[in-house]
Amino acid sequence: MIESLDPGTLYPFGGAALFALGLHGLIRRRHLILRILAVNIMGSGVFMVFLGIAARGDAPPDPVAQALTLTGIVVAVSATAFALALTVHLARLTGHAVLLPGPLRTHRGNRPEDP
Amino acid sequence: MSATIPESLVFATGALAAVSLGLPLLASAWPWQARRIGLLGLSLSILGLLATIGLFLDAAPGMDAPAVRVGLGGWEAPLGVTLHLDGLTLAMLLLNALVALAGSLYARGYIRGSAEQRQFWPLWLWLWGGLNLLVLSGDAFNLYITLEIASLSAVALVALTGDTDAVTGAMRYLLINLLGSLSFLLGAALLYGEFGVLDLTLLGELAGDGPTERMAAALMLGGLLMKAAVFPLHVWLATAHASAPAPVSGMLSGMVVAAMFYLILRLWLLIFAPLGTPALAVLLGLLGSAALVWGSLQALRAPRLKIVAAYSTVAQMGYIALAFPILILQPAAWPVVVFFAFAHGLAKAAVLMGAGTLQKAAGHDRMNALGPVLRARGRTVFALGLGGISLMGLPLTGGFLAKYLLLEAGMHGAADAPPVMQAWTWLWVVMVALGSLLATAYILRMVAPAFARGERDPGVPVSAGMEWMPLALAAGAAAMGLAGAPLMHLLEHTAGVS
């Protein structure tokens, strides 16, 4: 039963699974909002690993790992906000929130008005 | 902290960190004064840095420990966050200061319009300050925070012009950066779980070659290789560097990738050295060789000058990856690798900024139509050529000295290595030479039209900084061939050197 597993074991493995899931999403999804969500899932996975480390054994939870998680969440929120702002800007410019696949568009060159 | 470290040096280390944080904060608080704060602050900080180098060289021979370690707020490791200052740190701080100062003087003429200036200068100072704090921190979690500060400001700077190319390049760059940072953080979490400390020096004392260290090394080094654009994780680089404003692409190619490489080297020297197996050496060497060939071929066929310059960065990062197998065979060769990265950082910044000057003057950077501007702007062409000569490694430049020392270390390593490794090492040596040949080809491709007959047209006037700064950086890279000894001397005093 999951309830009987001690969090020191469950959280790191759960965290690793989330990390892998997020990585899959980041690589396979096209839409930028989904990719940003995938990065956030990866981040949650890393925080789960930290919390699992904090909760190991019978001693009271390790405050350092909890502080690291809090700091990490602050960084993740800022990075997400920035990524969303960039996505909105890109969607306004191009009309869709995806990165065009394939080689660099400018590779073909010879556009008359290159900035 | 060792008793023999003078108080003045401890103070200087704290002051360097405080200035790196204070200047960007000041500039963010008064964005309309940010340009003045930036130029004045960077000029003063370079003087402070030179004074610190003097203090360090004066005190280093008498210190018990090779590094100055300062616990912030009176908290020492393992609980507190420590700053770490040694010869390698000072060399990277110096490279950052030189590229940032040259880039600032360049940007005075390049970034016009008060709205753009208000956006550019605070971000520019955050990039500089974040990189300073990155090389100063001696703690794995703090490294993650400073990595994020540096990379988020770099991404914002790439997106500065706000057109589709710039925003697309910035978005790719952001996703790869977030992936790299999270991978690094997961590695740090594993190390913390196993050893209960985050301080790099303490980790180095505890870590061996167990499975946790292997997993952590794979995650951390993999994340950093991605951020350093080592083949095959380089795809983002050309879009980001080519669409960024010229001073920013100079800083990205000159300093940001070098900082990622610094971090790989630092982790390697302090923590992961026991993991150096022949298989890893061969893998890194193959990646480096592939980057050299692929990046050079792309640089040879790219239609735009800034993309040629950006792909040459991919090729140059291949060299750095090639240096690691030589490092595993011959650990004493690492100052040579740093010397190499330093000379290349200056030369790359010169080439990228020179390309930006030509682009601004001509109004475009299509290779097949740049002839008239190249013929009329001898000073910038000379900067491209001089920087290029250092990248190729012709005698009397820093690049030559670096390649010569690297080849020498490689051949020495080959002589002592077991037979299986000997063949591989000879391959690396051949690749270093082949890389120089390819570099010659794409540098000549950039400057050759300047020597053909045809019309001359200087194009749009550019500021004095935009003409002189690429030349100053290129001259710096070349001068390292004549005066490289002080840097090598500085690098001798570094923690983790056997």
Side-chain angles (χ1 to χ4, degrees):
Chain A
M1 291 306 287
I2 288 194
E3 290 86 27
S4 66
L5 270 175
D6 119 72
T9 323
L10 180 63
Y11 286 14
F13 282 101
L18 278 182
F19 190 87
L21 208 63
L23 184 61
H24 177 81
L26 179 62
I27 294 167
R28 291 302 300 273
R29 296 294 157 206
R30 275 282 144 70
H31 199 280
L32 284 172
I33 301 286
L34 292 178
R35 296 181 105 175
I36 293 166
L37 277 176
V39 169
N40 272 283
I41 291 172
M42 287 175 72
S44 307
V46 178
F47 301 145
M48 286 271 283
V49 173
F50 267 119
L51 290 179
I53 290 164
R56 268 184 321 189
D58 298 327
D62 175 6
V64 173
Q66 293 182 340
L68 297 181
T69 308
L70 270 179
T71 319
I73 288 173
V74 172
V75 174
V77 168
S78 330
T80 306
F82 179 48
L84 289 175
L86 263 187
T87 307
V88 169
H89 194 82
L90 191 67
R92 286 218 180 105
L93 282 170
T94 61
H96 40 78
V98 291
L99 289 177
L100 293 175
L104 198 56
R105 212 157 47 89
T106 39
H107 254 195
R108 285 176 223 122
N110 297 328
R111 285 188 299 161
E113 288 304 319
D114 237 355
Chain B
M1 207 188 316
S2 144
T4 51
I5 295 174
E7 276 301 309
S8 54
L9 201 50
V10 173
F11 175 77
T13 310
L16 278 175
V19 168
S20 309
L21 202 57
L23 268 187
L25 277 176
L26 267 181
S28 309
W30 288 284
W32 53 92
Q33 288 292 343
R35 190 178 78 163
R36 229 163 267 154
I37 295 172
L39 287 170
L40 193 66
L42 285 177
S43 315
L44 290 178
S45 78
I46 210 166
L47 293 179
L49 179 60
L50 289 176
T52 312
I53 292 177
L55 274 178
F56 179 79
L57 282 180
D58 197 39
M63 291 181 345
D64 317 338
V68 181
R69 294 166 47 72
V70 183
L72 288 181
W75 291 91
E76 296 295 331
L79 196 56
V81 171
T82 46
L83 297 178
H84 181 111
L85 182 106
D86 59 12
L88 178 56
T89 313
L90 283 169
M92 294 311 289
L93 287 175
L94 186 62
L95 177 63
N96 192 18
L98 290 176
V99 176
L101 187 62
S104 300
L105 293 171
Y106 186 97
R108 273 183 70 201
Y110 189 92
I111 307 283
R112 290 169 188 279
S114 60
E116 263 179 45
Q117 286 196 1
R118 246 175 290 163
Q119 291 164 350
F120 174 81
W121 286 98
L123 287 170
W124 175 254
L125 289 175
W126 275 115
L127 178 59
W128 166 81
L131 289 169
N132 267 357
L133 291 169
L134 173 75
V135 294
L136 273 171
S137 45
D139 171 288
F141 192 76
N142 211 27
L143 280 176
Y144 164 72
I145 302 288
T146 50
L147 264 178
E148 288 288 48
I149 295 177
S151 40
L152 288 183
S153 29
V155 171
L157 282 168
V158 169
L160 195 73
T161 53
D163 59 25
T164 310
D165 276 353
V167 179
T168 309
M171 196 70 215
R172 269 181 217 272
Y173 189 29
L174 176 64
L175 289 177
I176 212 87
N177 263 322
L178 289 177
L179 178 56
S181 300
L182 282 175
S183 180
F184 182 89
L185 184 63
L186 186 58
L190 290 181
L191 287 179
Y192 182 73
E194 180 80 11
F195 302 110
V197 288
L198 284 162
D199 185 80
L200 296 182
T201 311
L202 293 181
L203 276 175
E205 285 161 11
L206 295 169
D209 61 348
T212 315
E213 288 93 319
R214 276 170 204 277
M215 192 69 206
L219 285 166
M220 293 172 105
L221 299 182
L224 291 172
L225 286 175
M226 211 179 290
K227 283 166 169 273
V230 172
F231 189 87
L233 308 169
H234 65 276
V235 186
W236 58 271
L237 185 135
T239 20
H241 287 206
S243 50
V248 177
S249 47
M251 188 76 171
L252 287 177
S253 275
M255 184 56 207
V256 177
V257 287
M260 299 310 144
F261 153 74
Y262 152 84
L263 205 46
I264 296 174
L265 185 64
R266 170 71 80 201
L267 291 174
W268 190 263
L269 286 177
L270 283 181
I271 308 179
F272 297 129
L275 303 178
T277 58
L280 183 66
V282 170
L283 176 69
L284 282 172
L286 286 177
L287 289 182
S289 310
L292 255 181
V293 174
W294 174 257
S296 303
L297 291 180
Q298 291 294 324
L300 281 173
R301 58 179 282 270
R304 287 179 43 198
L305 182 60
K306 282 191 82 177
I307 298 180
V308 174
Y311 271 114
S312 78
T313 303
V314 173
Q316 300 299 331
M317 286 315 286
Y319 269 121
I320 304 274
L322 261 184
F324 275 90
I326 294 179
L327 208 63
I328 289 174
L329 280 178
Q330 187 89 342
W334 74 268
V336 177
V337 183
V338 178
F339 184 83
F340 192 67
F342 199 103
H344 277 232
L346 291 179
K348 290 299 320 171
V351 169
L352 266 289
M353 286 185 201
T357 305
L358 293 173
Q359 183 191 29
K360 203 75 165 182
H364 68 86
D365 66 340
R366 292 188 303 280
M367 292 294 284
N368 53 12
L370 275 178
V373 172
L374 279 167
R375 282 187 281 277
R377 292 201 170 270
R379 206 171 288 142
T380 310
V381 170
F382 188 65
L384 277 185
L386 196 58
I389 282 172
S390 189
L391 291 182
M392 296 170 207
L394 289 195
L396 298 184
T397 64
F400 169 73
L401 200 57
K403 277 183 189 168
Y404 178 79
L405 293 169
L406 196 62
L407 286 176
E408 193 186 53
M411 287 182 194
H412 270 287
D416 306 336
V420 192
M421 292 306 291
Q422 265 187 20
W424 284 112
T425 310
W426 282 110
L427 176 66
W428 312 145
V429 168
V430 169
M431 289 309 297
V432 170
L434 177 69
S436 304
L437 190 66
L438 286 167
T440 313
Y442 57 73
I443 296 292
L444 279 179
R445 186 173 171 235
M446 280 195 237
V447 298
F451 304 106
R453 280 171 194 283
E455 55 163 328
R456 300 154 60 93
D457 170 21
V460 185
V462 297
S463 73
M466 288 174 67
E467 284 203 90
W468 286 102
M469 281 306 121
L471 195 56
L473 284 167
M480 283 183 63
L482 302 172
L487 183 63
M488 295 296 268
H489 178 59
L490 182 62
L491 288 172
E492 278 166 22
H493 303 287
T494 297
V497 184
S498 43

